Amino acid sequence: MPLPQPDDLTSLVLRTDFGDEGSWDALRAALDGADEYPHATCVGEPRFAGVDVQALMAEEAAADEDEQIVHLFLADAATMNEPGHPLLAVDLSDEPGRTFRVPARWFPDVSANLSIANMDFADFADAADASGTFRGFDEG
């Protein structure tokens, strides 16, 4: 079964941790409040509970080409439990399986640029700090 398709000009945020409904609500509120425009298509289907990156890559590889997506964001246990709700960004196209974390406050910048192909996944992943988290670009 293919992954859910995000709405136009948004990125798929896939819930994989179902331990705390309040955390899921807080994450969605943080994403909604991060920018005036919607950037996330949030999907909380229980069939994705505990799914890992490898399983998502396999599912996406098996999908028809017109149903494939190039990136997504996981709302996993770290997203739900850590301050700033750091989503796990996952590349499903250029370097399948490459990941980095992005706190909700930076999500609109990443999502918008990836959705319109203004920047590549690697641009953000390469700018992640030592913890593997993207926290904006240094102005230098």
Side-chain angles (χ1 to χ4, degrees):
M1 175 181 290
L3 293 172
Q5 294 294 311
D7 296 334
D8 286 343
L9 300 179
T10 68
S11 295
L12 177 63
V13 174
L14 190 63
R15 183 180 184 183
T16 64
D17 182 278
F18 289 81
D20 183 350
E21 201 63 35
S23 291
W24 175 239
D25 293 341
L27 169 63
R28 289 185 300 161
L31 294 174
D32 288 344
D35 193 61
E36 64 182 291
Y37 301 104
H39 292 279
T41 298
C42 294
V43 174
E45 295 178 13
R47 74 179 177 109
F48 295 110
V51 73
D52 64 14
V53 171
Q54 294 299 329
L56 291 171
M57 289 182 353
E59 188 163 339
E60 196 59 5
D64 291 336
E65 188 174 328
D66 61 336
E67 294 178 332
Q68 291 181 346
I69 57 177
V70 297
H71 68 275
L72 60 77
F73 297 83
L74 297 184
D76 59 4
T79 304
M80 300 299 193
N81 296 311
E82 293 179 16
H85 301 291
L87 294 154
L88 183 65
V90 180
D91 186 348
L92 295 171
S93 179
D94 294 332
E95 297 177 67
R98 187 171 186 192
T99 64
F100 66 90
R101 292 259 171 211
V102 59
R105 76 173 284 227
W106 294 108
F107 177 80
D109 295 337
V110 175
S111 175
N113 281 293
L114 291 177
S115 294
I116 63 170
N118 185 51
M119 297 178 79
D120 295 324
F121 192 93
D123 294 325
F124 295 102
D126 291 346
D129 64 19
S131 74
T133 303
F134 175 79
R135 300 179 199 279
F137 292 105
D138 291 332
E139 298 298 323

